[in-house]
């Protein structure tokens, strides 16, 4: 299939490009490089030995999308383009709703116009808010506690409406996958592509890596009094290559017409949670480095524990995360060591 990958130069998108090319698909990337650069795509080409077109442009721009769909025979879209920083979304909600919600609307309009009906959307476990219990199943109640989370929830609802409207008229064509990611970490084992945050990292692993390499002085561990094994927060971390491969499975599932309804939801996680202190210890043992950290008060909005029930993805897609914690840490560290300043080195 020929797959349009929006946001393909970013962290998850670049790994998905590798997984798609390795599975024999053709790709076209659309990215405005708001949070990435061309180097990641050059590295994707280096890893896979494959060339592919890259369109520099914004998913909000109808003309860019029209020209892209006119000049490439696209069968499916993986939509990674969006902003992802919770804190920033609280400061700039309009920016987040414009880019994440309106951007997806523009994309769906263009897809409808050009009769491309297969869409895989990057949602997030954040749509579960503070879950009543763990592990979290796909049918748990949905809620959002910040504009970023709400932007994901709004898009999910828009996409469900799109499919329901077609079901009402019996004209079902849309095949949509809502992929709810838990906490992606790690990097491609080549060490050529990985997570390259702009400024101070928001996520745990890039932060730990930057402390280990001496770019940041110490990690603050927010909350040491949660009702967890060691008082620190527990999350479900999964290797970004497992996540990328989950997308390829979803694409195959939708393309083979296995679905009975047009909108599917899958959790992508490992089904196992690790505390912040366990993550620090695992990173130290993979890297041989000491990670300085200090305990800090809980952050508003953070929850104690969150991990996925992944049985739906396993049963329907035949997908499980196969890479363990030490592989996540070793690959993160290899990426950080080889690229101490990210793609700017
Ligand atoms: N990384 C995570 O922890 C995580 C967790 C859950 C969901 N997600 C979602 O997955 C998706 C990818 O996340 P990521 O970690 O790879 O982020 P990223 O910032 O590394 O990648 C996003 C890419 O989209 C591009 N982009 C942003 N707005 C665009 C626009 N209007 N037009 C074209 N390109 C645009 C950016 O330049 C970047 O290359 C996002 O939608 C994010 O919300 C990420």
């Amino acid at each position: 299939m020929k797959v349009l990958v929006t946001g393909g130069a970013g962290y998850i998108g670049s790994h998905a490009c590798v997984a798609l090319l390795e599975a024999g698909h053709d790709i076209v990337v659309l990215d405005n490089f708001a949070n990435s650069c061309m180097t990641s795509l050059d590295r994707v080409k280096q890893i896979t030995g494959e060339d592919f077109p890259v369109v520099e442009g914004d998913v909000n721009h109808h003309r860019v999308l029209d020209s892209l769909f006119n000049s490439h025979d696209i069968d499916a879209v993986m939509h990674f383009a969006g902003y992802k920083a919770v804190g920033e979304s609280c400061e700039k909600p309009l920016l987040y709703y414009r880019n994440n919600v309106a951007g997806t609307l523009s994309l769906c309009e263009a897809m409808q116009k050009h009769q491309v009906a297969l869409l895989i959307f990057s949602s997030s476990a954040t749509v579960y808010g503070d879950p009543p219990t763990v592990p979290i199943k796909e049918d748990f109640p949905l809620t959002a506690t910040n504009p970023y989370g709400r932007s994901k929830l709004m898009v999910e609802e828009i996409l469900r409406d799109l499919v329901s409207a077609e079901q009402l008229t019996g004209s079902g064509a849309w095949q949509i996958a809502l992929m709810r990611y838990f906490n992606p970490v790690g990097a491609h084992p080549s060490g050529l592509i990985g997570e390259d945050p702009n400024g101070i990292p928001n996520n745990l692993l890039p932060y730990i890596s930057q402390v280990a390499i001496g770019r940041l002085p110490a990690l603050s561990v927010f909350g040491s009094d949660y009702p967890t094994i060691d008082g620190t927060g527990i999350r479900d971390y999964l290797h970004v290559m497992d996540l990328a491969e989950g997308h390829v499975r979803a694409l195959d599932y939708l393309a083979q017409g296995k679905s009975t309804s047009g909108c599917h939801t899958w959790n992508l996680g490992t089904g196992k949670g690790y505390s912040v202190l366990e993550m620090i210890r695992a990173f130290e043992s993979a890297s041989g480095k000491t990670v300085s950290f200090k305990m800090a008060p809980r952050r508003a909005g953070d929850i104690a524990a969150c991990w996925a029930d992944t049985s739906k993805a396993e049963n329907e897609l035949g997908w499980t995360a196969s890479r363990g914690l030490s592989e996540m840490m070793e690959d993160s560290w290899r990426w950080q060591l080889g690229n101490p300043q990210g793609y700017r080195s």
Side-chain angles (χ1 to χ4, degrees):
M1 299 186 90
K2 186 173 271 192
V3 183
L4 167 62
V5 185
T6 76
Y11 173 46
I12 301 170
S14 57
H15 291 80
C17 288
V18 171
L20 282 164
L21 291 166
E22 285 178 345
H25 296 288
D26 293 324
I27 61 171
V28 177
V29 169
L30 171 67
D31 204 301
N32 65 359
F33 302 114
N35 194 34
S36 57
C37 59
M38 190 62 197
T39 312
S40 66
L41 295 171
D42 291 338
R43 303 256 181 109
V44 170
K45 293 178 183 180
Q46 191 183 336
I47 291 167
T48 59
E50 302 276 348
D51 200 5
F52 51 85
V54 176
V55 177
E56 180 170 356
D58 196 309
V59 85
N60 285 284
H61 294 164
H62 289 271
R63 245 184 274 162
V64 169
L65 291 171
D66 254 346
S67 130
L68 195 155
F69 282 106
N70 278 330
S71 36
H72 300 278
D73 210 1
I74 302 291
D75 300 300
V77 179
M78 280 192 191
H79 181 35
F80 297 99
Y83 295 147
K84 62 173 178 177
V86 169
E88 187 184 48
S89 80
C90 298
E91 290 158 20
K92 301 174 183 168
L94 290 180
L95 186 74
Y96 272 67
Y97 292 128
R98 159 66 55 198
N99 205 36
N100 294 5
V101 181
T104 309
L105 283 180
S106 302
L107 177 67
C108 289
E109 282 162 0
M111 289 176 70
Q112 199 158 46
K113 179 170 171 191
H114 295 272
Q115 297 179 333
V116 178
L118 206 157
L119 172 66
I120 299 190
F121 172 65
S122 293
S123 188
S124 166
T126 191
V127 300
Y128 295 116
D130 191 354
T133 55
V134 275
I136 300 171
K137 282 176 166 300
E138 286 84 350
D139 59 3
F140 271 31
L142 303 178
T143 177
T145 53
N146 55 65
Y148 167 69
R150 248 184 302 281
S151 75
K152 292 291 174 192
L153 198 44
M154 284 177 187
V155 170
E156 282 205 1
E157 284 172 355
I158 289 166
L159 296 178
R160 279 190 282 271
D161 283 346
L162 201 51
V163 167
S164 306
E166 275 191 335
Q167 284 168 344
L168 275 180
T169 58
S171 63
W174 282 101
Q175 292 287 331
I176 296 178
L178 310 175
M179 313 303 281
R180 294 191 184 142
Y181 314 159
F182 282 66
N183 293 69
V185 296
H188 189 267
S190 62
L192 287 171
I193 55 172
E195 188 167 6
D196 182 19
N198 229 336
I200 306 287
N202 289 306
N203 292 339
L204 179 63
L205 243 283
Y207 208 110
I208 291 180
S209 309
Q210 292 195 13
V211 171
I213 207 148
R215 266 174 81 178
L216 292 169
L219 170 76
S220 297
V221 177
F222 297 108
S224 52
D225 57 351
Y226 286 112
T228 60
I229 40 161
D230 57 22
T232 66
I234 291 183
R235 297 289 179 273
D236 184 339
Y237 298 93
L238 86 156
H239 196 292
V240 66
M241 282 309 300
D242 279 324
L243 178 66
E245 288 161 10
H247 285 68
V248 178
R249 292 295 181 93
L251 176 70
D252 293 344
Y253 181 96
L254 297 187
Q256 285 163 16
K258 282 186 188 165
S259 55
T260 48
S261 111
C263 195
H264 303 264
T265 309
W266 289 294
N267 283 341
L268 295 180
T270 61
K272 184 166 173 33
Y274 290 101
S275 74
V276 178
L277 295 183
E278 286 176 317
M279 293 296 282
I280 294 172
R281 277 195 292 274
F283 186 89
E284 288 181 332
S285 94
S287 65
K289 292 276 178 185
T290 301
V291 177
S292 308
F293 65 91
K294 54 180 192 293
M295 293 301 185
R298 292 183 185 193
R299 263 185 324 200
D302 278 355
I303 58 176
C306 163
W307 66 89
D309 181 318
T310 58
S311 51
K312 189 164 182 278
E314 188 172 350
N315 294 336
E316 294 178 356
L317 303 179
W319 174 90
T320 48
S322 63
R323 296 158 178 91
L325 195 57
S326 52
E327 209 170 337
M328 298 179 208
M329 299 302 176
E330 283 157 15
D331 290 340
S332 291
W333 182 231
R334 189 178 304 106
W335 155 252
Q336 184 68 70
L337 260 186
N339 306 270
Q341 302 298 325
Y343 290 114
R344 288 163 291 276
S345 4

